[in-house]
Amino acid sequence: MKDKIRQLEEEARADLVRIDSADAADVFRVAYLGKKGKLTELFKRLGAVPADEKKAVGAELNRVKQWLESAVEGFRQKAPNKGVPDAAFDETLPGIRPPQGSIHLLQQTIREISGIFNRMGFETVEGPEIETEFHNFTALNIPLNHPSRDAFDTFYTTHGQLLRSQTSPVQIRVMKERRPPLKIIAPGRVYRPDTVDASHSFMFHQIEGLMVDDRVTFSDLKGILHLFLRELFGSSTRIRFRPHFFPFTEPSVEVDIQWGKGWLEILGAGNVDPHVFEEVGYDASVVRGLAFGLGVERIAMLRHGINDIRHFYENDLRFLRQFA
Ligand code: PHE
């Protein structure tokens, strides 16, 4: 038994010099003093020691126990753990900078266009993306048999509602809520069940414009859109007004800008049709208005040479970072 104790003492001495952390001290404590520890096992054999040796062997074991306990305690206090916060934390090091986001090109484009109109006195308003047939079609003088009402051209939800296919219903909402004079623009998402390809998406963005007063003419429309397009595309931009048809404007035009050798359609516009004023309860013999609508993606693609509309929605940082 005495040999066993001496052997254990030697082992313990060898193990003790290798302790380099509080964790290692704990491992040592369990290995020798734990329930199944080496020293504990020797204590268990004390019962088998002859009665006349018991006292001396017991004293030996207790001496070793005290030595090991005080050694472990000493190491625990002296050897700090690697990774323990107060030892590892250096408050003089610079912090970790979180990655910085940026404004999406579509949102930048909306802000830039809105800014031009805001400076001309147009107020930015918003309308809901889930609309009624009344606001999206009927009040805009769009007849019941018009193809745009077809389920192939509009997403219908439930309870006679739909995902707006244009921002023009915001015209109706604003006119029903307020009285002229009005000068508003309304940016937002619109939805159409188009098959997605390089130039089509089931969701895209438009900006609607509406001005209503007692003396708003077609030349106001021309002047405002001229100013806007030259602000956006440059002061030498050539602009063309081409006759067109929209149910909610009369006369109606599509506006093109010169692009290389050809012309590119940029927006739809016109003077507000008197039928629309009647729908919102305005006196159509007194008020006059102008309205326009443009596609945000199309303008952003033109200005930045983007050849695929899907880039806007795929959240690919290689694309987005170019406009950060
Ligand atoms: N809402 C029309 C479209 O989506 C654009 C437009 C708006 C035309 C306002 C005229 C006046 O094509």
Side-chain angles (χ1 to χ4, degrees):
M1 191 67 179
K2 283 192 171 156
D3 286 349
K4 290 229 154 66
I5 294 173
R6 205 159 303 126
Q7 202 185 316
L8 181 138
E9 275 190 89
E10 259 162 44
E11 258 180 70
R13 204 167 287 130
D15 285 348
L16 274 172
V17 298
R18 276 187 246 122
I19 292 177
D20 60 358
S21 70
D23 280 346
D26 254 329
V27 171
F28 178 90
R29 186 185 54 75
V30 172
Y32 284 87
L33 301 165
K35 262 193 188 152
K36 288 181 177 168
K38 290 174 184 172
L39 186 65
T40 313
E41 292 299 336
L42 290 187
F43 268 103
K44 283 177 191 166
R45 293 194 198 180
L46 198 55
V49 171
D52 55 335
E53 286 180 49
K54 227 174 222 169
K55 209 178 163 196
V57 172
E60 268 304 274
L61 286 173
N62 274 324
R63 182 185 58 77
V64 175
K65 189 182 178 192
Q66 272 170 24
W67 167 54
L68 293 183
E69 275 173 352
S70 63
V72 165
E73 198 41 46
F75 272 113
R76 255 225 279 256
Q77 281 166 14
K78 260 185 242 151
N81 246 351
K82 298 180 180 111
V84 164
D86 54 346
F89 182 67
D90 182 348
E91 67 279 349
T92 66
L93 288 173
I96 298 164
R97 202 179 279 273
Q100 196 173 17
S102 59
I103 296 169
H104 194 283
L105 177 59
L106 286 177
Q107 192 57 40
Q108 289 182 40
T109 308
I110 288 172
R111 289 185 186 187
E112 195 175 338
I113 293 170
S114 301
I116 297 171
F117 285 113
N118 292 157
R119 289 192 288 281
M120 287 193 256
F122 287 79
E123 172 198 353
T124 303
V125 301
E126 282 185 55
E129 292 173 25
I130 299 175
E131 264 296 5
T132 62
E133 286 193 54
F134 174 78
H135 290 95
N136 196 79
F137 294 123
T138 310
L140 288 164
N141 196 37
I142 298 172
L144 277 171
N145 62 358
H146 194 275
S148 66
R149 289 197 184 227
D150 197 283
F152 289 108
D153 286 305
T154 298
F155 285 114
Y156 288 87
T157 61
T158 51
H159 306 101
Q161 297 188 109
L162 46 80
L163 295 179
R164 66 179 180 191
S165 59
Q166 48 185 354
T167 44
S168 301
V170 186
Q171 290 188 37
I172 304 302
R173 290 188 174 271
V174 171
M175 285 192 280
K176 290 203 81 151
E177 249 169 52
R178 308 188 195 176
R179 301 278 106 190
L182 293 173
K183 268 175 109 177
I184 60 102
I185 53 161
R189 295 190 180 101
V190 300
Y191 300 83
R192 292 180 193 177
D194 287 325
T195 301
V196 175
D197 63 23
S199 53
H200 293 86
S201 167
F202 54 85
M203 182 281 299
F204 57 100
H205 297 73
Q206 286 189 335
I207 299 181
E208 192 81 9
L210 174 72
M211 177 174 171
V212 183
D213 209 335
D214 56 354
R215 281 165 38 145
V216 177
T217 66
F218 190 78
S219 68
D220 291 317
L221 179 68
K222 282 187 76 174
I224 286 166
L225 294 180
H226 251 106
L227 194 60
F228 161 65
L229 291 170
R230 289 191 166 157
E231 282 282 315
L232 194 64
F233 289 101
S235 56
S236 57
T237 304
R238 297 198 61 207
I239 293 149
R240 179 172 84 172
F241 287 72
R242 194 160 36 74
H244 197 71
F245 174 80
F246 295 106
F248 36 91
T249 47
E250 180 60 31
S252 302
V253 288
E254 277 190 334
V255 184
D256 303 338
I257 59 167
Q258 199 166 38
W259 199 263
K261 287 196 181 105
W263 297 86
L264 278 178
E265 182 220 319
I266 291 294
L267 52 82
N271 286 109
V272 178
D273 192 295
H275 290 104
V276 175
F277 287 141
E278 279 160 20
E279 289 284 355
V280 298
Y282 285 4
D283 184 347
S285 68
V286 180
V287 290
R288 297 286 182 268
L290 62 84
F292 53 88
L294 55 85
V296 178
E297 278 80 350
R298 186 177 165 76
I299 288 181
M301 287 170 82
L302 277 177
R303 294 176 77 206
H304 299 281
I306 297 161
N307 58 12
D308 195 318
I309 197 171
R310 290 168 289 199
H311 286 312
F312 290 120
Y313 317 119
E314 286 171 346
N315 201 28
D316 186 334
L317 294 182
R318 293 170 301 177
F319 172 77
L320 297 175
R321 281 203 181 106
Q322 298 177 72
F323 312 102

